[in-house]
Amino acid sequence: MKLIRLAISNLAGSSFRSWLVFFCSALMAGFVVSGTLVIRGADSSLRLALERLGADIIVVPKGNSQRLETALLMGIPAHMWMPDTVVDDIRAVSGVEAASPQIYLSTLRGAVCCSVPEMFLIAYDPDTDFTLKPWLEKNLEGGLALAEAVGGSLVFVPVQDGALLVYGTSLELKGTLEATGTGLDQSMFFTFDTAFKIAEESSDLAVKVLDIPPRTVSSVLVRVGMDQDPHQVALAIAEKLPNVTPMETSSLFQGQREQILSLLNSVVALLGITWLLGMGLTTVIFALAVNQRRRQIGVMRALGARRTVVLQSLLMEAGLLAIAGGIQGIAIAALAIYLFRPLIVRLMGVPFLFPGFLPLAGLGLGALALVLVGVLLAAAIPIVRVSLQDPAISMRE
Amino acid sequence: MKVIGAVFVIVAILVGIVPMFTDCESAGRMLTLADGRQVSMKCHWTGLAELGVSLPLLVVGGLMIFSQHKESRRTLGIVGSSLGAVVLLLPTVLIGVCMNPDMPCVSIMKPSLLLMGAVVVVAGLGAVGLNWGSEQQAA
């Protein structure tokens, strides 16, 4: 306790140096937290999106693979059509265990008949679906009925409408899926029957008719057998059906993954520079501080204070500054990343999921521990040197 | 206390300046009325109100730097915190910003003001905490 008081009074006595070390610690911790948040947020967002898709292969009409990736990542609606006979053709391919069609639609922009403009709508076939089914079975007994929907984490019922209006048809939002940070959070899922009902009613209720070409689907989600290689199955599909593109989900979002990797390299380089400068500055500041306090330290030693007490007192100063600065840096960095995440997503072109409280607290504690170790190591060099010096020499100098 | 005063001064300048370059009007976007007239969006008024808050915050920061007494620093900390709270409330509750998430006022101006407001509130409370107790007690 006495050591803490001594450390605090010493820190207050040299406030400029203390603030410098405080800001160095804040900077070091802030960079660790912001870099990790962005990289891990982008990575976990892509991972969750792939898990949500729940298929090994997605088959889309030829030339639409990029549009589908953009739709899934950023929620920008994509319209694509292929004959529904494709579903049976795919099922006939060796290695395919299940195939389920989906229809991609979108709401109208700037029309009162739609609660949300340009929302990506995904209609699925409840008889063959295997991607939403596990979630529906767990959360909604009996699945989705006619005019019922589940939405991504950002989908909600607007207060002014009282219901989700899609082309004038009122839909009941039965549940909300877990956030992924991708465009799937702004998407809505309902059954084929609901999609056809909306299309039928749109001629009377909406400013524009929802047109679903007869006997068509937008994509087919494929699950391969347990012992099958998705790549081989995808090749077989491409060979049998030349007008479609089978996309392996394991290789989806490749461009975004490469972007995250290059971002990771930049972040690591920036972190290295920041830490090197931060630790270097801390060493210099503590070298100056202990140099100026040589006499004080000599007197302490001459009065009977053991070497370890001097060492502990000086390291305590460094530790207190590291903890205070670290907490400040972590708080500001986390708040900044949270507030600016839409801008970060737009600038990076990669979705980004902000972690929950527990992972964030874990990251904060980890960063704090790192900064504490870094600052203590940096300060230890001059501190150990002065504490090893003979008291008589310290006082004479 | 000089550092907290300096933080107040720097943030006050930023609170006054940032909205000028990040509101929708600075990006050339204005509301067009039915009669063809163009009027400013509400983020512009939030920016002007923030300019109004930044001036007293600047004064508080300046006074904090030169203040010698604990009581006055404590009072300045409370005033600074309150002004920080206003910085936070203007773009969220009191006036607000535009609805479209793609607008610069939503993606840049609002988060910047919230971050700066939070820093001012915490710094002000820090000044209050560090100057707790009377001068006599400290002596």
Side-chain angles (χ1 to χ4, degrees):
Chain A
M1 204 59 205
K2 277 178 186 169
L3 268 182
I4 292 184
R5 274 195 203 146
L6 179 67
I8 291 173
S9 67
N10 277 335
L11 290 176
S14 54
S15 60
F16 180 68
R17 284 195 205 114
S18 304
W19 280 111
L20 268 182
V21 178
F22 176 89
F23 282 125
C24 278
S25 310
L27 208 66
M28 286 153 75
F31 266 106
V32 170
V33 168
S34 50
T36 314
L37 275 178
V38 171
I39 300 291
R40 269 183 55 182
D43 183 54
S44 59
S45 177
L46 289 183
R47 202 163 27 79
L48 276 170
L50 286 175
E51 278 173 21
R52 173 71 50 78
L53 288 173
D56 298 310
I57 300 166
I58 302 176
V59 181
V60 292
K62 208 170 185 72
N64 283 287
S65 50
Q66 194 61 47
R67 287 177 65 211
L68 179 69
E69 280 197 46
T70 314
L72 296 174
L73 268 183
M74 308 311 269
I76 298 165
H79 301 275
M80 51 189 87
W81 306 105
M82 56 188 176
D84 62 358
T85 50
V86 167
V87 185
D88 288 330
D89 293 341
I90 291 171
R91 280 193 192 118
V93 173
S94 154
V96 172
E97 188 183 82
S100 180
Q102 290 192 335
I103 295 175
Y104 299 147
L105 307 165
S106 66
T107 55
L108 293 171
R109 190 180 185 91
V112 286
C113 59
C114 294
S115 300
V116 186
E118 288 193 318
M119 182 197 274
F120 189 33
L121 307 171
I122 301 172
Y124 68 95
D125 177 13
D127 297 332
T128 57
D129 173 66
F130 56 88
T131 55
L132 266 183
K133 207 173 184 176
W135 187 90
L136 289 173
E137 278 174 355
K138 203 169 124 190
N139 297 281
L140 287 173
E141 215 173 306
L144 288 178
L146 193 66
E148 288 180 348
V150 287
S153 61
L154 299 176
V155 177
F156 60 94
V157 179
V159 180
Q160 70 271 19
D161 293 346
L164 261 172
L165 285 178
V166 177
Y167 286 85
T169 301
S170 169
L171 298 185
E172 191 184 345
L173 190 66
K174 295 294 281 186
T176 304
L177 299 163
E178 191 194 344
T180 64
T182 64
L184 288 171
D185 294 347
Q186 308 162 41
S187 309
M188 197 157 65
F189 300 83
F190 42 70
T191 61
F192 272 8
D193 289 344
T194 303
F196 294 132
K197 175 186 157 73
I198 295 168
E200 197 183 311
E201 291 178 355
S202 65
S203 55
D204 297 327
L205 302 174
V207 292
K208 196 179 162 196
V209 176
L210 173 63
D211 188 27
I212 303 176
R215 301 196 61 77
T216 56
V217 294
S218 301
S219 73
V220 181
L221 273 62
V222 176
R223 190 173 63 201
V224 303
M226 287 290 275
D227 52 347
Q228 299 293 324
D229 177 11
H231 182 64
Q232 294 303 325
V233 177
L235 286 178
I237 292 171
E239 198 179 325
K240 188 177 176 189
L241 302 162
N243 291 326
V244 300
T245 305
M247 302 163 69
E248 289 170 60
T249 47
S250 59
S251 59
L252 265 180
F253 313 137
Q254 208 56 45
Q256 284 73 23
R257 284 177 193 178
E258 279 165 18
Q259 211 162 329
I260 292 175
L261 206 66
S262 76
L263 195 71
L264 181 69
N265 292 336
S266 316
V267 167
V268 168
L270 206 64
L271 263 179
I273 295 169
T274 314
W275 273 67
L276 212 65
L277 287 177
M279 286 179 71
L281 196 61
T282 306
T283 306
V284 170
I285 291 164
F286 266 91
L288 286 171
V290 292
N291 217 24
Q292 210 173 45
R293 278 161 49 192
R294 256 170 215 270
R295 286 170 71 89
Q296 179 201 342
I297 292 163
V299 170
M300 269 176 79
R301 294 284 314 280
L303 288 173
R306 279 178 294 148
R307 187 171 287 160
T308 49
V309 173
V310 174
L311 194 73
Q312 280 173 359
S313 148
L314 290 167
L315 285 177
M316 182 84 77
E317 289 177 30
L320 284 175
L321 289 173
I323 290 171
I327 290 172
Q328 175 101 343
I330 290 163
I332 290 181
L335 184 64
I337 297 290
Y338 178 77
L339 291 172
F340 285 100
R341 64 190 195 287
L343 189 69
I344 294 168
V345 169
R346 208 187 313 156
L347 291 177
M348 291 200 314
V350 174
F352 163 61
L353 187 66
F354 197 79
F357 177 74
L358 278 181
L360 187 64
L363 172 65
L365 285 176
L368 198 61
L370 261 179
V371 170
L372 189 61
V373 171
V375 169
L376 285 179
L377 275 178
I381 303 162
I383 288 173
V384 169
R385 222 174 52 195
V386 81
S387 68
L388 288 175
Q389 211 168 38
D390 189 74
I393 297 171
S394 297
M395 282 191 286
R396 205 176 311 133
E397 281 179 352
Chain B
M1 277 315 104
K2 284 192 173 78
V3 173
I4 293 180
V7 168
F8 276 3
V9 169
I10 293 166
V11 174
I13 293 168
L14 290 174
V15 165
I17 289 175
V18 167
M20 287 182 194
F21 298 100
T22 52
D23 68 350
C24 292
E25 202 163 314
S26 69
R29 295 181 188 186
M30 291 181 85
L31 276 178
T32 306
L33 301 180
D35 60 5
R37 270 188 309 133
Q38 288 205 312
V39 293
S40 303
M41 298 194 202
K42 62 178 178 179
C43 59
H44 177 70
W45 306 116
T46 298
L48 283 184
E50 293 286 4
L51 184 64
V53 178
S54 75
L55 295 174
L57 187 60
L58 191 72
V59 174
V60 168
L63 289 174
M64 182 83 92
I65 290 172
F66 297 108
S67 175
Q68 299 290 332
H69 302 287
K70 268 192 165 189
E71 281 82 0
S72 52
R73 283 189 207 142
R74 201 165 56 213
T75 312
L76 289 169
I78 294 169
V79 176
S81 266
S82 312
L83 289 170
V86 179
V87 171
L88 289 172
L89 290 173
L90 280 169
T92 49
V93 179
L94 297 177
I95 302 177
V97 290
C98 302
M99 293 281 281
N100 188 342
D102 294 333
M103 297 281 210
C105 65
V106 182
S107 59
I108 305 174
M109 184 178 121
K110 187 180 169 185
S112 308
L113 289 172
L114 293 182
L115 186 65
M116 291 188 285
V119 168
V120 171
V121 169
V122 173
L125 292 177
V128 175
L130 290 171
N131 291 287
W132 204 250
S134 64
E135 216 90 42
Q136 285 80 8
Q137 277 176 332

